[in-house]
Amino acid sequence: VQLQASGGGLVQARGSLTLSCAASGRTFSSATVGWFRQAPGLEREFVAAIRWRADTTYYAASVKGRFTISRDNAKNTVYLQMNSLEPEDTAVYYCAADSSGGYYYTQSYEYDYWGQETLVTVSS
């Protein structure tokens, strides 16, 4: 499985961006797909996840109400719509897939496939 993340960029505070994570080589049908981020000097943290089959979503408290994770079956793609962005959201963002759809979706070790980074910079 290859994951292709895209959509990062520079945006002003209170602006919006949409990240995309497209999979090739395998469908997401039984997977959990998540987004993580890592800011300079900090550890990688969970942002959001979606269980593909059940369409169940999960969010970190820091982004709940501002970010929305969704999927497109036909395109085998997961999106992260980010609204009301704050400078604190500045980070490198990663998408990842847990092919077995395990329980610990907030933990990076649960995921067996990772996409490349995409940088999100929010200016104040």
Side-chain angles (χ1 to χ4, degrees), residues 72-89:
D72 184 321
N73 285 345
K75 296 182 179 180
N76 211 31
T77 298
V78 170
Y79 302 98
L80 185 68
Q81 173 69 43
M82 305 185 294
N83 297 328
S84 301
L85 283 161
E86 304 165 350
E88 294 72 24
D89 296 314

Side-chain angles (χ1 to χ4, degrees), residues 7-105:
L10 173 65
V11 64
Q12 290 187 330
R14 296 176 296 283
S16 300
L17 277 177
T18 300
L19 304 182
S20 300
C21 179
S24 60
R26 180 174 176 172
T27 63
F28 281 140
S29 60
S30 60
T32 297
V33 179
W35 286 96
F36 289 76
R37 66 186 182 186
Q38 188 166 16
L42 299 179
E43 294 187 353
R44 187 174 300 186
E45 65 174 358
F46 169 77
V47 176
I50 185 167
R51 294 195 186 278
W52 192 273
R53 183 168 294 167
D55 201 21
T56 305
T57 58
Y58 308 93
Y59 297 94
S62 60
V63 306
K64 196 169 186 178
R66 299 188 298 123
F67 291 11
T68 302
I69 189 170
S70 62
R71 59 167 171 71
D72 184 321
N73 285 345
K75 296 182 179 180
N76 211 31
T77 298
V78 170
Y79 302 98
L80 185 68
Q81 173 69 43
M82 305 185 294
N83 297 328
S84 301
L85 283 161
E86 304 165 350
E88 294 72 24
D89 296 314
T90 294
V92 171
Y93 284 70
Y94 301 87
C95 67
D98 168 15
S99 57
S100 63
Y103 181 77
Y104 299 103
Y105 54 84

